[in-house]
Amino acid sequence: MDIFRTKSISEYMSDASKTHFNKALGPLDVVFMGVGIIVGTGIFVLPGVAAAKYAGPALMLSFVLASLACGFVSLLYSEMASSMPVAGSSYAYAYASVGEILAWLVGWNLVLEYTVGASAVAGGWSAYVTGVLKSAGILLPDALTKVPADGGIMNLPAILITLFLTVLLIRGVRESTMVNRILVAVKLLAIFLFLFLAAPHVDVTNFEPFMPFGWAGVSAGAAVIIFGYLGFDAISTAAEETKHPEHDMPIGIIGSLLICTLLYVAVTAVMTGNVPYTELDNAEPVAFTLRELGYRFGSAVVGTGAIAGLTTVLLNMIYAQTRAFFAMSRDGLFPKGICALSPRFATPYRITIIVGAVVAFCSGFTPINILAEMCSVGTLFAFIVASIGAAVMRRKYPTAHRAFRCPAIDLIAVLAVVSCGYIMYNLSSMTWVRFWIWSAIGLVIYYAYGRTHSRLQTGEDLEVK
């Protein structure tokens, strides 16, 4: 039964005290990180297709349904992050509560959320940049903007932006935070400009029928657009680099989720109120809506906002993946050499280089649309395990200091598991098949390496070099 062994809060806090990250983040930085990683495809890409094919104007309810599921989870994450402010997020919470094997599966599935998701975002960033340059009369050759499977040689813009952000993250969290602040501000300005221009033209007759596909369509729409919420859990991976994590983490997690939900519902309402939902089946619904209203500069405005938005998502996804891997390597489940910090920048430079290189390769040479579909199921699995773990931790460590306490934790945990499970149920059967295959590969790696090299197995003390 050693596969269900757990790591105590005191052991985690001891490890954190030996890892000398720069504590450079305040509550505003944490909120900006959350908005930076959440607001991207959920506003600029997904709503059009989801409204046209799944939910119609009731896509607003799909966003509310998805936000309720994430809201329950956010309360539980906030308690965990305030009582155990360490890198690792869902993985660390699972390790301390329900055991090593489930923690490993959570960490393994976070690879889908962060690395594969980042690769997809880098590809989307390249498409938007190529489109903006094309509208300005600058044509990039297909050979350098498409992956080999699509007839090109490589997606060079995707590779370059990934490598640039990798270097930025190696240099330190303070530098990357400043860039993130600027880009999030640009993204929000673009969204508010869209609402300012389009909201006065809303025609309520476009909301009829409101639920053309019934409640089943609303549920299916929630399963599709849940991808737009993925990443709010990544905020907690920054706990060891936050000045006052016991207070700043709950503010960042809950605050960013509330802000993003309001933006998602507002943009969806204005979009479907201006254009019949049947006409929104495209990858740039916000820009399309502005063009339909006669705002010809809308494409450039939204394109700029989308580029800024996707850049922040990519930056924060790479950041979160490196911290998740760092936590797993610190526990011995990955080779411990990759958790070394840079003497100059105090960042885990080795794993940052590795993750950046993998994301650059995947986005530059591989069609990742099939793998990207797996992001949702892997993340929802992590949400469910962490939610159960939060309730377990309340019983296991009843006297532990909790700056934030989730109200009615047992009820909230049940609601989180049921709502996330319901959304998972609405995912396609092929997504489930790929999830089981990916999990099986992870179990093979765990039994071949992680189980015997775990620090709980070897009893080794932590050495961070």
Side-chain angles (χ1 to χ4, degrees), residues 7-9 79-80 83-84 93 96-98 388-398 400 402:
K7 185 175 177 180
S8 68
I9 291 180
E79 175 168 319
M80 299 284 277
S83 62
M84 199 172 77
Y93 307 152
S97 58
V98 293
I388 295 172
V392 171
M393 291 288 283
R394 181 72 74 86
R395 285 173 169 77
K396 189 174 181 179
Y397 300 99
R402 293 174 171 88

PDB file of all heavy atoms in Angstrom, residues 7-9 79-80 83-84 93 96-98 388-398 400 402:
ATOM      1  N   LYS A   7       2.540  12.793   1.924  1.00  0.00           N
ATOM      2  CA  LYS A   7       3.576  13.706   2.400  1.00  0.00           C
ATOM      3  C   LYS A   7       2.907  14.757   3.274  1.00  0.00           C
ATOM      4  O   LYS A   7       1.901  15.367   2.875  1.00  0.00           O
ATOM      5  CB  LYS A   7       4.271  14.364   1.208  1.00  0.00           C
ATOM      6  CG  LYS A   7       5.446  15.257   1.565  1.00  0.00           C
ATOM      7  CD  LYS A   7       6.128  15.753   0.297  1.00  0.00           C
ATOM      8  CE  LYS A   7       7.265  16.719   0.625  1.00  0.00           C
ATOM      9  NZ  LYS A   7       7.936  17.214  -0.610  1.00  0.00           N
ATOM     10  N   SER A   8       3.413  14.971   4.475  1.00  0.00           N
ATOM     11  CA  SER A   8       2.751  15.851   5.433  1.00  0.00           C
ATOM     12  C   SER A   8       2.941  17.325   5.085  1.00  0.00           C
ATOM     13  O   SER A   8       3.848  17.701   4.332  1.00  0.00           O
ATOM     14  CB  SER A   8       3.281  15.595   6.836  1.00  0.00           C
ATOM     15  OG  SER A   8       4.630  16.011   6.938  1.00  0.00           O
ATOM     16  N   ILE A   9       2.064  18.159   5.664  1.00  0.00           N
ATOM     17  CA  ILE A   9       2.185  19.606   5.476  1.00  0.00           C
ATOM     18  C   ILE A   9       3.536  20.089   5.986  1.00  0.00           C
ATOM     19  O   ILE A   9       4.205  20.916   5.338  1.00  0.00           O
ATOM     20  CB  ILE A   9       1.050  20.346   6.211  1.00  0.00           C
ATOM     21  CG1 ILE A   9      -0.299  20.075   5.536  1.00  0.00           C
ATOM     22  CG2 ILE A   9       1.320  21.849   6.240  1.00  0.00           C
ATOM     23  CD1 ILE A   9      -1.469  20.767   6.201  1.00  0.00           C
ATOM     24  N   GLU A  79      -8.438  27.371   0.153  1.00  0.00           N
ATOM     25  CA  GLU A  79      -8.102  26.862   1.483  1.00  0.00           C
ATOM     26  C   GLU A  79      -6.795  26.091   1.461  1.00  0.00           C
ATOM     27  O   GLU A  79      -5.936  26.258   2.340  1.00  0.00           O
ATOM     28  CB  GLU A  79      -9.217  25.967   2.014  1.00  0.00           C
ATOM     29  CG  GLU A  79      -8.846  25.313   3.338  1.00  0.00           C
ATOM     30  CD  GLU A  79      -9.997  24.648   4.049  1.00  0.00           C
ATOM     31  OE1 GLU A  79     -11.103  25.227   4.070  1.00  0.00           O
ATOM     32  OE2 GLU A  79      -9.779  23.564   4.617  1.00  0.00           O
ATOM     33  N   MET A  80      -6.624  25.235   0.447  1.00  0.00           N
ATOM     34  CA  MET A  80      -5.404  24.440   0.363  1.00  0.00           C
ATOM     35  C   MET A  80      -4.178  25.330   0.179  1.00  0.00           C
ATOM     36  O   MET A  80      -3.134  25.116   0.803  1.00  0.00           O
ATOM     37  CB  MET A  80      -5.511  23.443  -0.793  1.00  0.00           C
ATOM     38  CG  MET A  80      -6.639  22.437  -0.671  1.00  0.00           C
ATOM     39  SD  MET A  80      -6.271  21.136   0.509  1.00  0.00           S
ATOM     40  CE  MET A  80      -5.308  20.042  -0.529  1.00  0.00           C
ATOM     41  N   SER A  83      -3.243  27.141   3.435  1.00  0.00           N
ATOM     42  CA  SER A  83      -2.705  26.292   4.499  1.00  0.00           C
ATOM     43  C   SER A  83      -1.413  25.597   4.095  1.00  0.00           C
ATOM     44  O   SER A  83      -0.619  25.200   4.951  1.00  0.00           O
ATOM     45  CB  SER A  83      -3.740  25.237   4.907  1.00  0.00           C
ATOM     46  OG  SER A  83      -4.048  24.377   3.823  1.00  0.00           O
ATOM     47  N   MET A  84      -1.186  25.453   2.787  1.00  0.00           N
ATOM     48  CA  MET A  84       0.012  24.774   2.304  1.00  0.00           C
ATOM     49  C   MET A  84       0.552  25.533   1.093  1.00  0.00           C
ATOM     50  O   MET A  84       0.436  25.079  -0.049  1.00  0.00           O
ATOM     51  CB  MET A  84      -0.331  23.324   1.924  1.00  0.00           C
ATOM     52  CG  MET A  84       0.860  22.398   1.854  1.00  0.00           C
ATOM     53  SD  MET A  84       0.363  20.672   1.631  1.00  0.00           S
ATOM     54  CE  MET A  84      -0.051  20.654  -0.111  1.00  0.00           C
ATOM     55  N   TYR A  93      -1.456  19.092  -3.437  1.00  0.00           N
ATOM     56  CA  TYR A  93      -2.619  18.891  -2.581  1.00  0.00           C
ATOM     57  C   TYR A  93      -3.021  17.414  -2.539  1.00  0.00           C
ATOM     58  O   TYR A  93      -3.397  16.888  -1.487  1.00  0.00           O
ATOM     59  CB  TYR A  93      -3.786  19.744  -3.071  1.00  0.00           C
ATOM     60  CG  TYR A  93      -3.453  21.210  -3.235  1.00  0.00           C
ATOM     61  CD1 TYR A  93      -4.118  21.998  -4.161  1.00  0.00           C
ATOM     62  CD2 TYR A  93      -2.459  21.816  -2.460  1.00  0.00           C
ATOM     63  CE1 TYR A  93      -3.819  23.340  -4.315  1.00  0.00           C
ATOM     64  CE2 TYR A  93      -2.149  23.155  -2.611  1.00  0.00           C
ATOM     65  CZ  TYR A  93      -2.829  23.917  -3.546  1.00  0.00           C
ATOM     66  OH  TYR A  93      -2.514  25.243  -3.716  1.00  0.00           O
ATOM     67  N   ALA A  96      -0.543  15.325  -0.376  1.00  0.00           N
ATOM     68  CA  ALA A  96      -0.689  15.492   1.065  1.00  0.00           C
ATOM     69  C   ALA A  96      -1.975  14.878   1.606  1.00  0.00           C
ATOM     70  O   ALA A  96      -2.106  14.685   2.814  1.00  0.00           O
ATOM     71  CB  ALA A  96      -0.661  16.978   1.413  1.00  0.00           C
ATOM     72  N   SER A  97      -2.917  14.558   0.708  1.00  0.00           N
ATOM     73  CA  SER A  97      -4.227  14.121   1.192  1.00  0.00           C
ATOM     74  C   SER A  97      -4.589  12.688   0.814  1.00  0.00           C
ATOM     75  O   SER A  97      -4.910  11.880   1.689  1.00  0.00           O
ATOM     76  CB  SER A  97      -5.310  15.069   0.674  1.00  0.00           C
ATOM     77  OG  SER A  97      -5.294  15.122  -0.750  1.00  0.00           O
ATOM     78  N   VAL A  98      -4.535  12.345  -0.471  1.00  0.00           N
ATOM     79  CA  VAL A  98      -5.060  11.048  -0.907  1.00  0.00           C
ATOM     80  C   VAL A  98      -3.987  10.078  -1.375  1.00  0.00           C
ATOM     81  O   VAL A  98      -4.305   8.949  -1.751  1.00  0.00           O
ATOM     82  CB  VAL A  98      -6.122  11.234  -2.025  1.00  0.00           C
ATOM     83  CG1 VAL A  98      -7.350  11.929  -1.471  1.00  0.00           C
ATOM     84  CG2 VAL A  98      -5.547  12.021  -3.201  1.00  0.00           C
ATOM     85  N   ILE A 388     -11.608  16.371  -3.493  1.00  0.00           N
ATOM     86  CA  ILE A 388     -11.716  15.323  -2.478  1.00  0.00           C
ATOM     87  C   ILE A 388     -10.604  15.496  -1.437  1.00  0.00           C
ATOM     88  O   ILE A 388     -10.825  15.375  -0.229  1.00  0.00           O
ATOM     89  CB  ILE A 388     -11.631  13.932  -3.132  1.00  0.00           C
ATOM     90  CG1 ILE A 388     -12.839  13.709  -4.052  1.00  0.00           C
ATOM     91  CG2 ILE A 388     -11.567  12.831  -2.074  1.00  0.00           C
ATOM     92  CD1 ILE A 388     -12.741  12.447  -4.889  1.00  0.00           C
ATOM     93  N   GLY A 389      -9.411  15.814  -1.926  1.00  0.00           N
ATOM     94  CA  GLY A 389      -8.275  15.994  -1.037  1.00  0.00           C
ATOM     95  C   GLY A 389      -8.468  17.120  -0.038  1.00  0.00           C
ATOM     96  O   GLY A 389      -8.035  17.025   1.117  1.00  0.00           O
ATOM     97  N   ALA A 390      -9.137  18.209  -0.456  1.00  0.00           N
ATOM     98  CA  ALA A 390      -9.363  19.336   0.455  1.00  0.00           C
ATOM     99  C   ALA A 390     -10.218  18.913   1.644  1.00  0.00           C
ATOM    100  O   ALA A 390      -9.944  19.291   2.789  1.00  0.00           O
ATOM    101  CB  ALA A 390     -10.027  20.484  -0.297  1.00  0.00           C
ATOM    102  N   ALA A 391     -11.280  18.116   1.377  1.00  0.00           N
ATOM    103  CA  ALA A 391     -12.130  17.635   2.465  1.00  0.00           C
ATOM    104  C   ALA A 391     -11.353  16.675   3.375  1.00  0.00           C
ATOM    105  O   ALA A 391     -11.510  16.700   4.603  1.00  0.00           O
ATOM    106  CB  ALA A 391     -13.367  16.950   1.894  1.00  0.00           C
ATOM    107  N   VAL A 392     -10.506  15.838   2.765  1.00  0.00           N
ATOM    108  CA  VAL A 392      -9.690  14.908   3.549  1.00  0.00           C
ATOM    109  C   VAL A 392      -8.727  15.677   4.450  1.00  0.00           C
ATOM    110  O   VAL A 392      -8.536  15.342   5.626  1.00  0.00           O
ATOM    111  CB  VAL A 392      -8.919  13.948   2.615  1.00  0.00           C
ATOM    112  CG1 VAL A 392      -7.899  13.128   3.404  1.00  0.00           C
ATOM    113  CG2 VAL A 392      -9.879  13.021   1.876  1.00  0.00           C
ATOM    114  N   MET A 393      -8.105  16.741   3.902  1.00  0.00           N
ATOM    115  CA  MET A 393      -7.130  17.520   4.665  1.00  0.00           C
ATOM    116  C   MET A 393      -7.764  18.205   5.876  1.00  0.00           C
ATOM    117  O   MET A 393      -7.130  18.346   6.924  1.00  0.00           O
ATOM    118  CB  MET A 393      -6.483  18.568   3.762  1.00  0.00           C
ATOM    119  CG  MET A 393      -5.562  17.992   2.704  1.00  0.00           C
ATOM    120  SD  MET A 393      -4.021  17.370   3.387  1.00  0.00           S
ATOM    121  CE  MET A 393      -3.147  18.896   3.672  1.00  0.00           C
ATOM    122  N   ARG A 394      -9.035  18.645   5.744  1.00  0.00           N
ATOM    123  CA  ARG A 394      -9.700  19.286   6.873  1.00  0.00           C
ATOM    124  C   ARG A 394      -9.812  18.313   8.047  1.00  0.00           C
ATOM    125  O   ARG A 394      -9.692  18.708   9.208  1.00  0.00           O
ATOM    126  CB  ARG A 394     -11.076  19.789   6.448  1.00  0.00           C
ATOM    127  CG  ARG A 394     -11.865  20.495   7.534  1.00  0.00           C
ATOM    128  CD  ARG A 394     -11.319  21.857   7.875  1.00  0.00           C
ATOM    129  NE  ARG A 394     -11.624  22.840   6.847  1.00  0.00           N
ATOM    130  CZ  ARG A 394     -12.761  23.544   6.801  1.00  0.00           C
ATOM    131  NH1 ARG A 394     -13.696  23.355   7.721  1.00  0.00           N
ATOM    132  NH2 ARG A 394     -12.947  24.437   5.836  1.00  0.00           N
ATOM    133  N   ARG A 395     -10.040  17.031   7.738  1.00  0.00           N
ATOM    134  CA  ARG A 395     -10.145  16.020   8.790  1.00  0.00           C
ATOM    135  C   ARG A 395      -8.770  15.548   9.253  1.00  0.00           C
ATOM    136  O   ARG A 395      -8.557  15.269  10.432  1.00  0.00           O
ATOM    137  CB  ARG A 395     -10.951  14.828   8.290  1.00  0.00           C
ATOM    138  CG  ARG A 395     -12.442  15.095   8.208  1.00  0.00           C
ATOM    139  CD  ARG A 395     -13.191  13.944   7.554  1.00  0.00           C
ATOM    140  NE  ARG A 395     -14.631  14.096   7.717  1.00  0.00           N
ATOM    141  CZ  ARG A 395     -15.376  14.931   7.016  1.00  0.00           C
ATOM    142  NH1 ARG A 395     -14.806  15.706   6.110  1.00  0.00           N
ATOM    143  NH2 ARG A 395     -16.678  15.000   7.212  1.00  0.00           N
ATOM    144  N   LYS A 396      -7.837  15.463   8.313  1.00  0.00           N
ATOM    145  CA  LYS A 396      -6.514  14.935   8.635  1.00  0.00           C
ATOM    146  C   LYS A 396      -5.703  15.928   9.460  1.00  0.00           C
ATOM    147  O   LYS A 396      -4.925  15.530  10.347  1.00  0.00           O
ATOM    148  CB  LYS A 396      -5.775  14.596   7.332  1.00  0.00           C
ATOM    149  CG  LYS A 396      -4.484  13.835   7.519  1.00  0.00           C
ATOM    150  CD  LYS A 396      -3.914  13.428   6.168  1.00  0.00           C
ATOM    151  CE  LYS A 396      -2.614  12.643   6.339  1.00  0.00           C
ATOM    152  NZ  LYS A 396      -2.056  12.220   5.026  1.00  0.00           N
ATOM    153  N   TYR A 397      -5.867  17.224   9.168  1.00  0.00           N
ATOM    154  CA  TYR A 397      -5.139  18.270   9.891  1.00  0.00           C
ATOM    155  C   TYR A 397      -6.139  19.318  10.396  1.00  0.00           C
ATOM    156  O   TYR A 397      -6.164  20.455   9.930  1.00  0.00           O
ATOM    157  CB  TYR A 397      -4.107  18.937   8.980  1.00  0.00           C
ATOM    158  CG  TYR A 397      -3.057  18.002   8.438  1.00  0.00           C
ATOM    159  CD1 TYR A 397      -3.167  17.482   7.148  1.00  0.00           C
ATOM    160  CD2 TYR A 397      -1.952  17.642   9.203  1.00  0.00           C
ATOM    161  CE1 TYR A 397      -2.200  16.624   6.641  1.00  0.00           C
ATOM    162  CE2 TYR A 397      -0.986  16.788   8.706  1.00  0.00           C
ATOM    163  CZ  TYR A 397      -1.114  16.280   7.423  1.00  0.00           C
ATOM    164  OH  TYR A 397      -0.155  15.429   6.931  1.00  0.00           O
ATOM    165  N   PRO A 398      -6.967  18.947  11.369  1.00  0.00           N
ATOM    166  CA  PRO A 398      -8.026  19.868  11.815  1.00  0.00           C
ATOM    167  C   PRO A 398      -7.502  21.141  12.468  1.00  0.00           C
ATOM    168  O   PRO A 398      -8.168  22.173  12.463  1.00  0.00           O
ATOM    169  CB  PRO A 398      -8.834  19.021  12.805  1.00  0.00           C
ATOM    170  CG  PRO A 398      -7.871  17.975  13.288  1.00  0.00           C
ATOM    171  CD  PRO A 398      -6.990  17.677  12.107  1.00  0.00           C
ATOM    172  N   ALA A 400      -4.550  22.664  11.681  1.00  0.00           N
ATOM    173  CA  ALA A 400      -3.605  23.388  10.830  1.00  0.00           C
ATOM    174  C   ALA A 400      -4.077  24.822  10.605  1.00  0.00           C
ATOM    175  O   ALA A 400      -5.284  25.092  10.529  1.00  0.00           O
ATOM    176  CB  ALA A 400      -3.454  22.667   9.491  1.00  0.00           C
ATOM    177  N   ARG A 402      -5.217  27.925   8.804  1.00  0.00           N
ATOM    178  CA  ARG A 402      -5.878  28.188   7.525  1.00  0.00           C
ATOM    179  C   ARG A 402      -6.320  29.647   7.508  1.00  0.00           C
ATOM    180  O   ARG A 402      -7.313  30.006   8.146  1.00  0.00           O
ATOM    181  CB  ARG A 402      -7.081  27.265   7.326  1.00  0.00           C
ATOM    182  CG  ARG A 402      -6.714  25.790   7.156  1.00  0.00           C
ATOM    183  CD  ARG A 402      -7.963  24.910   7.101  1.00  0.00           C
ATOM    184  NE  ARG A 402      -7.618  23.536   6.730  1.00  0.00           N
ATOM    185  CZ  ARG A 402      -7.271  22.601   7.606  1.00  0.00           C
ATOM    186  NH1 ARG A 402      -7.202  22.898   8.894  1.00  0.00           N
ATOM    187  NH2 ARG A 402      -6.991  21.370   7.194  1.00  0.00           N
TER     188      ARG A 402
END
